Structure formats: structure tokens, C-alpha cells
Amino acid sequence: MNQRNRISGIHHITAIASSARENLAFYEQLLGLRLVKKTVNFDDPTTYHLYYGDAEGSPGTILTFFPWERLPAGKPGAGMVTAIAFAVPENAMEYWRKRLHDHGISARLGRRFDEPVVTFADPHGLPLELIGVSQPPASAQWANSLFPPQSAIAGFHSATTLLSRLEPTQELLSESMGMVLHDSEDNRYRFTTADNRSPGHFYDVVVDPGAEIGRPGGGTVHHIAFRTPSDERQLMWQKALQTSGLAVTPVRDRKYFRSIYFHEPGGVLFEIATDPPGFTVDESPDELGTTLQLPDQYEALRSDIEKQLPDLGPAGFIHRFYRPETGSDDGQTIVALHGTGGSEHDLIELSERISPTSAVVSPRGNVSENGLARFFRRLAEGVFDEKDVIHRANELADFIIAACARYNRSPDKLVALGYSNGANIAAAVMMLRPTIFRRAILLRPMLPLQNPSISDLEGKNILMLQGRHDRVIPAESSRQLFRLLQEAGASVTAISVEAGHELTAQDLEAASRWLSELSVTEPAAVP
């Protein structure tokens, strides 16, 4: 069989979960996978279909879930994929063992085909493995990943299926799909696909004549999909498999790829999916997974569908995360909050210049005003929608808490850096959720709430930088904010710079000096 007629590797694996929220928290925050698509089940639009992968959602890295809420647990068994293995750098195995232990997850250590293996399960019982490899397969590293490349998951290593008989399935894998029997160990047989440089090029078959048939449910695999590079090649596979006597479905358009399905002789549901068009057909690479995407036939029902979908947790923000070089991290995290019309990119450089040894998380405001991003609504110039201010401040505070967990940052060392509208939302968070920020640098702020009920701000340090010629921010509003924060117990420093509403080098110098002087007595610590 020539290379053209061989399956090149795993495309994706789809499993079943019993809670969308728990599923998202585990795979994104604990394992560091990127949520690349948030959509719904084609056959059940009131259920999410969540896709995780590398930065681009590359074939060979994509693990997807149907999270049916409160679905009873299934039981992995014969006729199913019974374990999903990810590839990680071999020297990161101890890191992962400790990470799982620290999160209370039971894990077993072992070796397989002379590679180290950590075996564990997700919150709903889905069997997972991390396999250490000397040369991890190529995958696109997510800029906002929890982990540096030397520790991060690099797509699939393999999938394991449990069968009662080997021969009929081996004939399909070898004769029809072009896989090669690579090795065997006891009752495990490892097949390899055509592209041994890409993620997911191993498929293991464990044979146990006495194995019980699997029972679908939470914590089980629904199907496994293999890759094909084009529609033309997919049609070739469809015809060849039908000729061999298999019942193959018509091509189904799944928006991000096209699919055909069939059951292999041992009962496992196989899919052959096209590499194109990919996940950027409806979201830019930076925005993958941030908004609900619906199949075209359900778009008219969006409002009803959104009401029926379960809560995924704290509201998300499109954001950037920057981590300083290992060894220089002071443990502090700057939360950079842009002004009206800005973005998550605006204050990254300023943050790094103010404190080069601090991490930065920079969210984009979730409110749009004439196409310009803001952190809360206003009723008119200088007149804020205070109900929305309160809602958005709590929304931002919840995001910051989640971001600390996601990026393994200390929640006790957070510094707000806000400009204009970003300074105002930072001030609102300090008033409403005083435990969030320890320090705040407010650039061109004004009072966000007229009659706030402020908790004790004792021990909080705040720098307010005002422009002497600022025609946007009413000076009296800034003075009111100063008095209110000071009366609540905060140590507030107000500095006027020779500027208008724009930021200048004086702002950078004053902010950097203030933060440095506060930090000089504190030992650096890596969280």
C-alpha cells in the first residue's frame, strides 16, 4: 500500500462528560489545553460540544466532549476506546506526577514500550495517560498556556481500544487503512500510522477475550476520528471501505471538517475527518473558543439555545497573559485594564516597563460602545450606568480569581494597572471586592460609583496619576475618589503630571518608582 492510501494519524477523539463546567475547568486549568471551539451537538443543540487542542486546534491534538449534564457514569469496556494518551516531554513526567498529586488526583506510574506512563482519570472517570517522549510531536504552543513548552502537553500520543479478538480489526487496520503493526507487549498491540512526526500516530489494541462490553455514559469515549487531507481523499476512503463490506455513512459537514463514520469489526465507532477547513472559519486565531458558535441551522434559535445551555463558570474575557522569564519572576501579577476603545494589547508594554519581573494578565472589556471596547456601560459622557458598573466589577473580579488558578498566580499579589475606563473599573473592584487587589495604579481615574458602600481598605496602596490639563476627567470627580479611598483606610498617593488625558513618560517613571519603592522591603517569591 502506498503512502497516499494510508491513514496519517488521529484527527480527534470525542468523549462524554457529565458536567460542562467541571469538564472545562479540568482540561483548561489543570491540563492546560486550549478551548478552541465552543459550539453545540449537531443532534442535540441544548448540549455543548466543547473542543480542546493546541493553539490552532491542529489535527492530532483535538479532544472533544459532549457534556450531558448529570449523565450517569458509563463503563469503559470491549468495543470502545478505553484510554486517551497525551504526549509530554520525557523530562516533565515528575512535574506532571506532582501536579496531579497536588490537585488530589490519584495517578499510577509505569512503563510501556520503554516509555514512562502516568495513568489517571478525569472528574467523570475518563481514563487518561501522559506518556513521556524524548522528541514530542510538533504542535502549536498556545501563548496563554499554563505551561512552558518544556512541560506542556504536545497533542495525542496514542489511543487504546479494548477488543475481544484481534484478527478482524487487525485486517481492517493493516489491509484497508494502511497501519503497520509496530510492536507488541503482552496482550497489547501497537499500530502506527503513516505520519510518525505528527501528534497521534499510534493506535493500541488490547485483546481480552473475557472483557465485558463497554457501557456508554459519562467518562467514556464516543468515537475516534482519523485524518485525511482533503475531500477527494475522504471520498476515496468512503468507496474503499464500502467495497470491503463496511457500512459507511454519507459525508457529513461538521463545519470545521467533513466526516464519514463506520464501526470497525470490534465495535469501535470510527470516523475519517478532513483536515480542512479548520477552526478559524468563524473565529480568528486569537479568539478561538471565546464565543458560542452555532451550526447554521440553529442560528435562528440562538436566544433559546443560550438560555438552555448550562453555565460554564465565571464569565470569560478575551485576554493576554505574559509570564516573565524563569528565575526573574517576583510572584506579582499586574492586571492591565485598557481605556475606552483599547484592547488586551494596549497596556502590555507599559506593564512590562513598570515592572519587568511581574506577570501580566490583560483582559479586553466585554462591553461595546459604538464598536469600542469598554469595561462597563455609560448613559452619557461622564454619566455611568451604575448597575452595570456593579455587575461588570464583580464579573471582572470573578475572572481574575479564575485567571490566578488558571495561570498558577498568587491571588495575594495582584496589582491593578488601569487607564481611564480601565482605572474606573479597577477603582470599582477595589470598592466592591476589596480582597482582589493589594495595590492599584490608577491612570486618569474618576469616581465610578456615586454612593458606594466600601469595605475596609486598610493595607491597600493606591497611586492616582492625573493630568494637569486633562479635559476628559473632571478634576472634582478625581478628588472625590481620592477622599473616598483614603477614608476607607487605603494609603493613597496622588500625583499630577504635566499632561492631558494621554499617557506620558512621566506616568511611566512615577508608576515604576512607586511600585519599586513599595516592593523593596518584600522578598521575591515565585508562586
Side-chain angles (χ1 to χ4, degrees):
M1 178 175 287
N2 63 43
Q3 200 80 352
R4 176 180 170 82
N5 297 328
R6 294 182 62 194
I7 287 291
S8 57
I10 295 171
H11 184 280
H12 69 267
I13 299 172
T14 294
I16 301 170
S18 301
S19 165
R21 185 171 187 165
E22 292 176 359
N23 180 264
L24 178 61
F26 181 85
Y27 285 94
E28 192 175 50
Q29 295 177 23
L30 182 67
L31 295 189
L33 303 182
R34 183 182 187 185
L35 179 67
V36 295
K37 195 62 58 181
K38 180 169 56 176
T39 183
V40 296
N41 188 315
F42 267 82
D43 303 314
D44 178 9
T46 62
T47 296
Y48 277 116
H49 192 177
L50 303 177
Y51 292 74
Y52 305 93
D54 68 0
E56 300 170 357
S58 306
T61 73
I62 307 162
L63 176 59
T64 94
F65 284 91
F66 300 136
W68 278 293
E69 299 299 308
R70 296 176 294 279
L71 183 73
K75 183 179 180 181
M80 283 183 174
V81 170
T82 52
I84 299 168
F86 297 102
V88 297
E90 188 170 13
N91 57 11
M93 294 299 286
E94 175 58 22
Y95 168 87
W96 279 104
R97 185 204 63 77
K98 184 176 185 302
R99 181 170 178 80
L100 293 169
H101 176 269
D102 290 347
H103 284 78
I105 296 171
S106 176
R108 298 195 313 274
L109 305 179
R111 295 192 72 83
R112 182 183 304 150
F113 296 117
D114 205 31
E115 292 177 323
V117 182
V118 174
T119 302
F120 59 106
D122 81 357
H124 305 128
L126 181 68
L128 301 173
E129 297 171 337
L130 298 172
I131 299 182
V133 296
S134 57
Q135 292 185 317
S139 62
Q141 180 71 13
W142 183 24
N144 287 347
S145 173
L146 279 167
F147 311 111
Q150 60 266 30
S151 301
I153 286 172
F156 292 129
H157 175 280
S158 54
T160 296
T161 190
L162 177 62
L163 301 177
S164 59
R165 295 179 58 207
L166 174 66
E167 291 74 15
T169 296
Q170 181 176 5
E171 182 178 353
L172 170 70
L173 298 178
S174 299
E175 301 301 322
S176 299
M177 300 177 70
M179 297 188 196
V180 174
L181 181 59
H182 177 73
D183 207 346
S184 64
E185 191 174 82
D186 299 325
N187 63 335
R188 179 182 292 269
Y189 300 83
R190 172 159 290 175
F191 294 84
T192 186
T193 58
D195 186 354
N196 59 14
R197 295 168 299 177
S198 296
H201 59 268
F202 289 128
Y203 184 66
D204 287 7
V205 176
V206 171
V207 179
D208 179 359
E212 293 184 18
I213 300 297
R215 184 181 70 249
T220 63
V221 172
H222 186 271
H223 66 267
I224 182 169
F226 297 96
R227 300 173 59 180
T228 192
S230 66
D231 293 335
E232 175 190 16
R233 295 278 287 279
Q234 186 180 65
L235 292 174
M236 180 206 75
W237 282 112
Q238 183 187 49
K239 182 177 180 181
L241 292 165
Q242 288 172 335
T243 300
S244 70
L246 293 168
V248 185
T249 67
V251 174
R252 295 175 180 170
D253 187 349
R254 298 310 194 193
K255 191 173 184 180
Y256 311 110
F257 44 84
R258 282 164 287 279
S259 305
I260 56 175
Y261 301 86
F262 59 98
H263 283 92
E264 58 91 12
V268 181
L269 180 58
F270 277 10
E271 173 184 349
I272 295 180
T274 59
D275 285 354
F279 293 100
T280 57
V281 294
D282 52 14
E283 289 179 298
S284 70
D286 287 344
E287 296 176 334
L288 287 176
T290 58
T291 56
L292 177 65
Q293 302 297 325
L294 294 178
D296 292 342
Q297 64 267 35
Y298 295 130
E299 192 59 53
L301 303 174
R302 175 177 287 273
S303 179
D304 290 338
I305 289 171
E306 288 178 339
K307 291 175 183 176
Q308 294 182 70
L309 289 171
D311 180 21
L312 289 179
F317 284 75
I318 297 170
H319 66 282
R320 286 187 61 194
F321 177 73
Y322 162 81
R323 190 190 304 274
E325 294 294 328
T326 302
S328 67
D329 190 340
D330 61 14
Q332 190 166 250
T333 303
I334 293 177
V335 180
L337 304 166
H338 63 77
T340 298
S343 77
E344 67 276 20
H345 306 287
D346 283 16
L347 298 184
I348 292 287
E349 182 179 353
L350 178 65
S351 301
E352 293 173 355
R353 294 179 69 183
I354 288 173
S355 183
T357 56
S358 298
V360 182
V361 59
S362 181
R364 183 194 303 177
N366 276 342
V367 172
S368 178
E369 180 181 274
N370 299 320
L372 302 178
R374 284 176 54 85
F375 285 97
F376 56 81
R377 289 196 296 267
R378 54 185 170 183
L379 305 175
E381 189 71 33
V383 181
F384 302 151
D385 180 340
E386 296 203 9
K387 286 185 178 180
D388 194 58
V389 173
I390 293 169
H391 166 68
R392 300 294 178 176
N394 282 292
E395 179 183 68
L396 178 61
D398 288 342
F399 163 77
I400 292 167
I401 292 169
C404 286
R406 177 178 183 179
Y407 298 118
N408 198 25
R409 305 302 300 177
S410 171
D412 299 322
K413 303 191 74 175
L414 295 172
V415 181
L417 173 65
Y419 168 59
S420 193
N421 180 242
N424 299 338
I425 194 67
V429 170
M430 299 229 33
M431 295 173 182
L432 301 168
R433 300 282 290 273
T435 61
I436 298 296
F437 294 123
R438 183 180 58 157
R439 298 168 178 165
I441 300 170
L442 307 180
L443 304 161
R444 315 298 187 266
M446 60 186 291
L447 187 66
L449 296 166
Q450 292 302 314
N451 297 295
S453 176
I454 305 181
S455 301
D456 184 11
L457 294 181
E458 186 72 32
K460 307 293 183 181
N461 294 281
I462 301 170
L463 173 65
M464 293 176 58
L465 285 162
Q466 301 149 290
R468 288 195 183 95
H469 312 292
D470 193 338
R471 297 184 178 181
V472 176
I473 302 299
E476 179 56 29
S477 182
S478 295
R479 286 191 289 269
Q480 286 179 315
L481 176 61
F482 176 90
R483 289 193 297 268
L484 193 147
L485 294 172
Q486 197 171 56
E487 289 169 2
S491 174
V492 188
T493 301
I495 298 176
S496 292
V497 297
E498 198 63 34
H501 195 63
E502 77 284 356
L503 298 180
T504 69
Q506 292 181 53
D507 294 291
L508 169 61
E509 181 183 352
S512 181
R513 183 174 59 250
W514 177 82
L515 192 58
S516 178
E517 289 172 354
L518 281 179
S519 303
V520 72
T521 59
E522 296 183 358
V526 178

